[in-house]
Amino acid sequence: MNIQNKLNFSRRIRRTPFTTSVEKHGVTGFSVVNHTLLPKSFQNSIEDDYLHLQKHAQIWDVGCQRQVEIKGKDALKLIELMTPRSISKLQPGKCLYIPLTDENGGIINDPILIKISADHFYLSVADSDVLLWARGLAIGFGLNVRIREPDVWPLAVQGPKAADVLAKVFGERIYSIKKFNFDYFSLDGSSQLIAKTGYSRIGGFEIYLSRPELGSSLWETILEAGRSENIRPGSPNIIDRVEAGLLSFGNEMTVENTPLECNMDKFLDINKEADYIGKKVLQRQIRYGIKRRIRGVIYNGPKLPTISRPLQVFDIDKRTIVGSLTSGAFSPHFKRNIGVGMIKYGYWDNNKKILVNIADQEFREGLIKDLPLIQ
Amino acid sequence: MNIQNKLNFSRRIRRTPFTTSVEKHGVTGFSVVNHTLLPKSFQNSIEDDYLHLQKHAQIWDVGCQRQVEIKGKDALKLIELMTPRSISKLQPGKCLYIPLTDENGGIINDPILIKISADHFYLSVADSDVLLWARGLAIGFGLNVRIREPDVWPLAVQGPKAADVLAKVFGERIYSIKKFNFDYFSLDGSSQLIAKTGYSRIGGFEIYLSRPELGSSLWETILEAGRSENIRPGSPNIIDRVEAGLLSFGNEMTVENTPLECNMDKFLDINKEADYIGKKVLQRQIRYGIKRRIRGVIYNGPKLPTISRPLQVFDIDKRTIVGSLTSGAFSPHFKRNIGVGMIKYGYWDNNKKILVNIADQEFREGLIKDLPLIQ
């Protein structure tokens, strides 16, 4: 076997408090997010991991979801400035998905905002240095905030049995956390923030571990507690994510795309009272409409490998490139290949027939689909 | 063979215009820098690549050195604000190594600044999103600049025969470029910026390819032209880099370190007239002195593998941790293991004896050394 894509380790690609545990438990591949290792595969196939995730519980090292902590008198003002979503009514104890936009309305990142108190927030970020963006803005605008990357590392427990597992470790109170809420639980004499969030269709919890030295023991404690729930190590699963229409910053969308192109219009407040970066462009885009948007595709033919490079989408006459699939895999649920990506105006209607260009001169017929593919 | 560190490919980890070529020429491993693939190894050993680099010419895909283009009336003002190095006298056609600092004097990045004209610059950056930092500052301060990541991808040709190879492709004028200068050369009807810079001890050239569709043909043209110079694909070489004292952002230094701790005092202008971010902290640090600085180490015993995680350095009595080695390898030149890293005040004198903790309870005796280890 000629491995062409070994990842070279160095200090620059940071380990998490859980990396030693995932190595011990047979990780086989990584990605790199926020200069940090993200385990992507274990010894099972992606399909097997997918089936397991639908039924049981999994533990994921998502320490790469780095936190940007914003604290101080002007914290709310700075965050309002960074996003087209209104956060003025958000209460402490709540989480909110907020795209961050630049002056062109392009997406800088799509973090989860965690409101700890009136003037204290975390942004749990996807793969870009929001820390530098926020600090640059704060210095330039002369805002009264302290911004840093705290020593906090999320560990996810996902799947239908996630609550049952964590109840054994942190107590029954786990059951009372509502979706997109968080609460505090004790661990070895420390208080740990646990949110009911996660990057899977069924969902679960994320433990924002602020005592990294407890990483290995927390991992082992959860694995041990979850024996009867058949828990095992896993990672964000590409099949599950595409079925659920969960987008990935850097894959489905980049700074070249606006939140409107990414189906975020339903929960944004483009015309919110507070000023924010990109407001004029997004207001104009609301008025004149968008030229492309993210859509699902279900397509025919034998099982294809996971998409690792975008596949072009053509109209049914093979004359026009109408978009591309940026993530995709074979779905055991649909028994078809599925994908998500940007599709041009005029071609994005539900059930519109298209062709996916899977290799040189090789095309597969498929249908455009509303997201999520599975509710 | 159980490969534990396969790198998962996706659109989020960008390919360069040369990735297809490096795959064709047998790349075996990558790192990820600026959300982009950096080839790190081919079929030869790192040692063999090192020996080849000292004698011949190598072609490196360093497209991951992304450019931050800053253009406009306030471009110079913004860059002055970002660095403790004075750039007021820099002429167009020149390159300059400039650390960028935050309000604590911590290093945000250590790019090469390329002055294209009075109000037009590139920053060729190491691994952090300087694009977001610069844009955040520009918006906050209301500066009149346009900042973007241009579609420009550096390709390095390094080693003693680099000029001979490039003279055959771009003409004899290559020989007249002085170190840290650049000029323009024609390629397929386009004009390409070529700088006499690079991340090796002997040095060479970097072609800032602005026509990515020419990537594969440029790669093949250079390889073909360099046959008699014994050219071959390579990558920044850890042995060469450590011998040369070339630092790596994210490895030897992070935002926790100031430029003074990184031996940059000789060329900085801490008290420069223009205001810059971090000025007060660095002025104080100049006055009161630093508590640690980057030093070389040469140490004994059998050949060790390349350092992929920091090794602690102890005083000779094994009582105090006095620093750590963040990069290192076995040097064929010294026939010893060598490394670089931060060493505490009181322990950094040249030829000071120390112990390197290479594994649990295993120590190797060595000496602190001035950098570069080889001039």
Side-chain angles (χ1 to χ4, degrees), chain A residues 286-318:
Chain A
I286 278 275
R287 203 172 317 131
Y288 295 106
I290 52 173
K291 296 194 177 88
R292 56 190 176 183
R293 60 186 284 214
I294 294 179
R295 301 291 281 149
V297 168
I298 298 184
Y299 59 111
N300 298 336
K303 177 180 168 176
L304 292 168
T306 299
I307 292 177
S308 60
R309 294 167 67 174
L311 300 181
Q312 287 183 323
V313 178
F314 282 74
D315 73 334
I316 202 71
D317 300 323
K318 236 184 270 184

Short mmCIF file of all heavy atoms in Angstrom, two decimals, chain A residues 286-318:
data_model
loop_
_atom_site.label_atom_id
_atom_site.label_comp_id
_atom_site.label_asym_id
_atom_site.label_seq_id
_atom_site.Cartn_x
_atom_site.Cartn_y
_atom_site.Cartn_z
N ILE A 286 -30.94 40.63 -0.26
CA ILE A 286 -32.32 40.27 0.07
C ILE A 286 -33.26 40.89 -0.96
O ILE A 286 -34.21 40.26 -1.44
CB ILE A 286 -32.68 40.80 1.49
CG1 ILE A 286 -32.17 39.86 2.56
CG2 ILE A 286 -34.19 41.03 1.64
CD1 ILE A 286 -33.09 38.70 2.89
N ARG A 287 -32.98 42.12 -1.34
CA ARG A 287 -33.85 42.84 -2.26
C ARG A 287 -33.78 42.25 -3.68
O ARG A 287 -34.79 42.01 -4.31
CB ARG A 287 -33.46 44.32 -2.29
CG ARG A 287 -34.59 45.24 -2.75
CD ARG A 287 -34.22 46.72 -2.57
NE ARG A 287 -33.56 46.98 -1.30
CZ ARG A 287 -32.41 47.68 -1.16
NH1 ARG A 287 -31.83 48.20 -2.20
NH2 ARG A 287 -31.89 47.86 0.04
N TYR A 288 -32.56 42.00 -4.15
CA TYR A 288 -32.41 41.58 -5.55
C TYR A 288 -32.33 40.07 -5.75
O TYR A 288 -32.36 39.60 -6.88
CB TYR A 288 -31.18 42.26 -6.17
CG TYR A 288 -31.34 43.76 -6.24
CD1 TYR A 288 -30.65 44.60 -5.37
CD2 TYR A 288 -32.23 44.33 -7.16
CE1 TYR A 288 -30.83 45.98 -5.42
CE2 TYR A 288 -32.41 45.70 -7.22
CZ TYR A 288 -31.71 46.52 -6.35
OH TYR A 288 -31.90 47.87 -6.40
N GLY A 289 -32.22 39.34 -4.64
CA GLY A 289 -32.20 37.88 -4.76
C GLY A 289 -30.80 37.33 -4.95
O GLY A 289 -29.87 38.05 -5.29
N ILE A 290 -30.67 36.03 -4.73
CA ILE A 290 -29.37 35.38 -4.83
C ILE A 290 -29.27 34.60 -6.12
O ILE A 290 -30.28 34.29 -6.76
CB ILE A 290 -29.13 34.43 -3.63
CG1 ILE A 290 -30.33 33.45 -3.46
CG2 ILE A 290 -28.92 35.22 -2.35
CD1 ILE A 290 -30.09 32.40 -2.41
N LYS A 291 -28.03 34.29 -6.53
CA LYS A 291 -27.81 33.62 -7.81
C LYS A 291 -27.47 32.14 -7.64
O LYS A 291 -27.35 31.40 -8.61
CB LYS A 291 -26.68 34.32 -8.56
CG LYS A 291 -27.02 35.78 -8.93
CD LYS A 291 -26.02 36.31 -9.97
CE LYS A 291 -26.38 37.71 -10.40
NZ LYS A 291 -25.75 38.73 -9.51
N ARG A 292 -27.25 31.73 -6.40
CA ARG A 292 -26.91 30.32 -6.14
C ARG A 292 -27.25 30.04 -4.69
O ARG A 292 -27.30 30.96 -3.87
CB ARG A 292 -25.42 30.07 -6.39
CG ARG A 292 -24.55 31.00 -5.59
CD ARG A 292 -23.09 30.96 -5.97
NE ARG A 292 -22.39 31.98 -5.17
CZ ARG A 292 -21.11 32.27 -5.27
NH1 ARG A 292 -20.35 31.62 -6.12
NH2 ARG A 292 -20.58 33.19 -4.50
N ARG A 293 -27.54 28.79 -4.40
CA ARG A 293 -27.75 28.43 -3.00
C ARG A 293 -27.41 26.97 -2.76
O ARG A 293 -27.31 26.17 -3.72
CB ARG A 293 -29.19 28.74 -2.56
CG ARG A 293 -30.26 28.03 -3.34
CD ARG A 293 -31.65 28.52 -2.93
NE ARG A 293 -32.01 27.96 -1.65
CZ ARG A 293 -33.27 27.64 -1.32
NH1 ARG A 293 -34.26 27.85 -2.19
NH2 ARG A 293 -33.55 27.12 -0.17
N ILE A 294 -27.24 26.64 -1.51
CA ILE A 294 -26.85 25.27 -1.17
C ILE A 294 -28.06 24.36 -1.23
O ILE A 294 -29.10 24.65 -0.64
CB ILE A 294 -26.17 25.21 0.22
CG1 ILE A 294 -24.84 25.98 0.17
CG2 ILE A 294 -25.93 23.76 0.65
CD1 ILE A 294 -24.10 26.02 1.49
N ARG A 295 -27.91 23.26 -1.93
CA ARG A 295 -28.99 22.30 -2.12
C ARG A 295 -28.45 20.88 -1.93
O ARG A 295 -27.24 20.64 -2.01
CB ARG A 295 -29.55 22.42 -3.54
CG ARG A 295 -30.09 23.81 -3.87
CD ARG A 295 -31.35 24.13 -3.09
NE ARG A 295 -32.50 23.49 -3.70
CZ ARG A 295 -33.56 23.07 -3.01
NH1 ARG A 295 -33.61 23.20 -1.70
NH2 ARG A 295 -34.59 22.52 -3.63
N GLY A 296 -29.37 19.97 -1.72
CA GLY A 296 -29.00 18.56 -1.66
C GLY A 296 -29.14 17.92 -3.03
O GLY A 296 -29.86 18.43 -3.90
N VAL A 297 -28.46 16.80 -3.23
CA VAL A 297 -28.59 16.01 -4.46
C VAL A 297 -28.60 14.53 -4.07
O VAL A 297 -27.83 14.10 -3.21
CB VAL A 297 -27.42 16.31 -5.44
CG1 VAL A 297 -27.39 15.30 -6.58
CG2 VAL A 297 -27.51 17.73 -6.00
N ILE A 298 -29.52 13.80 -4.67
CA ILE A 298 -29.50 12.33 -4.53
C ILE A 298 -29.30 11.79 -5.94
O ILE A 298 -30.03 12.18 -6.86
CB ILE A 298 -30.81 11.81 -3.93
CG1 ILE A 298 -31.00 12.39 -2.52
CG2 ILE A 298 -30.82 10.27 -3.88
CD1 ILE A 298 -32.23 11.87 -1.77
N TYR A 299 -28.27 10.93 -6.12
CA TYR A 299 -27.99 10.50 -7.49
C TYR A 299 -27.73 9.01 -7.62
O TYR A 299 -27.46 8.32 -6.64
CB TYR A 299 -26.92 11.37 -8.15
CG TYR A 299 -25.57 11.43 -7.46
CD1 TYR A 299 -24.47 10.83 -8.06
CD2 TYR A 299 -25.39 12.12 -6.27
CE1 TYR A 299 -23.21 10.91 -7.48
CE2 TYR A 299 -24.14 12.20 -5.69
CZ TYR A 299 -23.06 11.59 -6.29
OH TYR A 299 -21.83 11.66 -5.72
N ASN A 300 -27.85 8.55 -8.84
CA ASN A 300 -27.96 7.12 -9.14
C ASN A 300 -26.62 6.41 -9.28
O ASN A 300 -25.57 7.02 -9.28
CB ASN A 300 -28.74 6.93 -10.45
CG ASN A 300 -30.15 7.47 -10.32
OD1 ASN A 300 -30.68 7.57 -9.22
ND2 ASN A 300 -30.75 7.82 -11.45
N GLY A 301 -26.73 5.09 -9.49
CA GLY A 301 -25.57 4.29 -9.84
C GLY A 301 -24.90 3.69 -8.63
O GLY A 301 -25.26 3.96 -7.49
N PRO A 302 -23.89 2.84 -8.90
CA PRO A 302 -23.21 2.13 -7.81
C PRO A 302 -22.59 3.10 -6.79
O PRO A 302 -22.34 4.26 -7.10
CB PRO A 302 -22.11 1.34 -8.53
CG PRO A 302 -22.51 1.30 -9.96
CD PRO A 302 -23.37 2.49 -10.22
N LYS A 303 -22.36 2.58 -5.63
CA LYS A 303 -21.77 3.33 -4.51
C LYS A 303 -20.44 3.99 -4.90
O LYS A 303 -19.55 3.35 -5.47
CB LYS A 303 -21.52 2.35 -3.36
CG LYS A 303 -20.86 2.93 -2.16
CD LYS A 303 -20.67 1.88 -1.08
CE LYS A 303 -19.75 2.44 0.00
NZ LYS A 303 -19.58 1.51 1.12
N LEU A 304 -20.33 5.27 -4.57
CA LEU A 304 -19.09 6.01 -4.84
C LEU A 304 -18.37 6.30 -3.53
O LEU A 304 -18.99 6.36 -2.48
CB LEU A 304 -19.43 7.33 -5.52
CG LEU A 304 -19.99 7.21 -6.94
CD1 LEU A 304 -20.54 8.54 -7.39
CD2 LEU A 304 -18.89 6.73 -7.89
N PRO A 305 -17.04 6.50 -3.62
CA PRO A 305 -16.32 6.87 -2.38
C PRO A 305 -16.73 8.27 -1.91
O PRO A 305 -17.29 9.05 -2.67
CB PRO A 305 -14.85 6.84 -2.80
CG PRO A 305 -14.84 6.90 -4.28
CD PRO A 305 -16.15 6.37 -4.77
N THR A 306 -16.44 8.56 -0.65
CA THR A 306 -16.68 9.90 -0.08
C THR A 306 -16.04 10.97 -0.97
O THR A 306 -14.93 10.79 -1.45
CB THR A 306 -16.04 9.93 1.33
OG1 THR A 306 -16.68 8.94 2.11
CG2 THR A 306 -16.21 11.28 1.98
N ILE A 307 -16.77 12.07 -1.17
CA ILE A 307 -16.23 13.15 -1.99
C ILE A 307 -15.07 13.83 -1.27
O ILE A 307 -15.24 14.32 -0.15
CB ILE A 307 -17.34 14.19 -2.30
CG1 ILE A 307 -18.39 13.58 -3.23
CG2 ILE A 307 -16.76 15.46 -2.91
CD1 ILE A 307 -19.57 14.50 -3.53
N SER A 308 -13.89 13.84 -1.90
CA SER A 308 -12.76 14.53 -1.28
C SER A 308 -12.36 15.76 -2.10
O SER A 308 -11.58 16.59 -1.64
CB SER A 308 -11.57 13.60 -1.12
OG SER A 308 -11.17 13.11 -2.37
N ARG A 309 -12.90 15.88 -3.31
CA ARG A 309 -12.73 17.07 -4.14
C ARG A 309 -14.08 17.34 -4.80
O ARG A 309 -14.78 16.41 -5.17
CB ARG A 309 -11.68 16.83 -5.21
CG ARG A 309 -10.29 16.64 -4.64
CD ARG A 309 -9.33 16.10 -5.66
NE ARG A 309 -9.08 17.08 -6.72
CZ ARG A 309 -8.17 16.89 -7.68
NH1 ARG A 309 -7.47 15.75 -7.70
NH2 ARG A 309 -7.97 17.79 -8.59
N PRO A 310 -14.43 18.64 -4.98
CA PRO A 310 -15.75 18.96 -5.54
C PRO A 310 -16.03 18.26 -6.87
O PRO A 310 -15.14 18.11 -7.70
CB PRO A 310 -15.67 20.49 -5.74
CG PRO A 310 -14.71 20.95 -4.70
CD PRO A 310 -13.67 19.85 -4.61
N LEU A 311 -17.29 17.82 -7.02
CA LEU A 311 -17.75 17.23 -8.28
C LEU A 311 -18.65 18.25 -8.97
O LEU A 311 -19.55 18.82 -8.35
CB LEU A 311 -18.56 15.96 -8.01
CG LEU A 311 -17.87 14.82 -7.28
CD1 LEU A 311 -18.84 13.64 -7.12
CD2 LEU A 311 -16.60 14.37 -8.01
N GLN A 312 -18.43 18.46 -10.26
CA GLN A 312 -19.28 19.42 -10.98
C GLN A 312 -20.65 18.83 -11.26
O GLN A 312 -20.81 17.63 -11.49
CB GLN A 312 -18.61 19.83 -12.29
CG GLN A 312 -17.42 20.76 -12.02
CD GLN A 312 -16.79 21.25 -13.30
OE1 GLN A 312 -16.68 20.52 -14.27
NE2 GLN A 312 -16.34 22.51 -13.29
N VAL A 313 -21.65 19.72 -11.21
CA VAL A 313 -23.02 19.34 -11.54
C VAL A 313 -23.40 20.03 -12.85
O VAL A 313 -23.16 21.23 -13.00
CB VAL A 313 -23.99 19.76 -10.40
CG1 VAL A 313 -25.44 19.41 -10.77
CG2 VAL A 313 -23.60 19.08 -9.09
N PHE A 314 -23.95 19.26 -13.78
CA PHE A 314 -24.35 19.77 -15.10
C PHE A 314 -25.87 19.72 -15.23
O PHE A 314 -26.54 18.94 -14.56
CB PHE A 314 -23.73 18.91 -16.21
CG PHE A 314 -22.28 19.20 -16.47
CD1 PHE A 314 -21.30 18.78 -15.58
CD2 PHE A 314 -21.89 19.90 -17.61
CE1 PHE A 314 -19.95 19.04 -15.83
CE2 PHE A 314 -20.55 20.16 -17.86
CZ PHE A 314 -19.57 19.73 -16.97
N ASP A 315 -26.38 20.53 -16.15
CA ASP A 315 -27.80 20.39 -16.47
C ASP A 315 -27.98 19.09 -17.24
O ASP A 315 -27.00 18.46 -17.68
CB ASP A 315 -28.31 21.61 -17.25
CG ASP A 315 -27.80 21.61 -18.68
OD1 ASP A 315 -26.71 21.03 -18.92
OD2 ASP A 315 -28.45 22.19 -19.54
N ILE A 316 -29.22 18.69 -17.42
CA ILE A 316 -29.50 17.36 -17.95
C ILE A 316 -29.03 17.20 -19.40
O ILE A 316 -28.79 16.08 -19.86
CB ILE A 316 -31.01 17.03 -17.75
CG1 ILE A 316 -31.24 15.51 -17.78
CG2 ILE A 316 -31.88 17.77 -18.75
CD1 ILE A 316 -30.71 14.79 -16.56
N ASP A 317 -28.82 18.33 -20.09
CA ASP A 317 -28.32 18.27 -21.46
C ASP A 317 -26.80 18.29 -21.54
O ASP A 317 -26.23 18.35 -22.63
CB ASP A 317 -28.87 19.46 -22.27
CG ASP A 317 -30.38 19.45 -22.30
OD1 ASP A 317 -30.95 18.35 -22.38
OD2 ASP A 317 -30.98 20.54 -22.21
N LYS A 318 -26.16 18.32 -20.39
CA LYS A 318 -24.70 18.33 -20.33
C LYS A 318 -24.09 19.59 -20.95
O LYS A 318 -22.95 19.61 -21.37
CB LYS A 318 -24.14 17.08 -21.03
CG LYS A 318 -23.24 16.23 -20.15
CD LYS A 318 -22.64 15.08 -20.91
CE LYS A 318 -23.49 13.83 -20.86
NZ LYS A 318 -22.85 12.68 -21.51
#
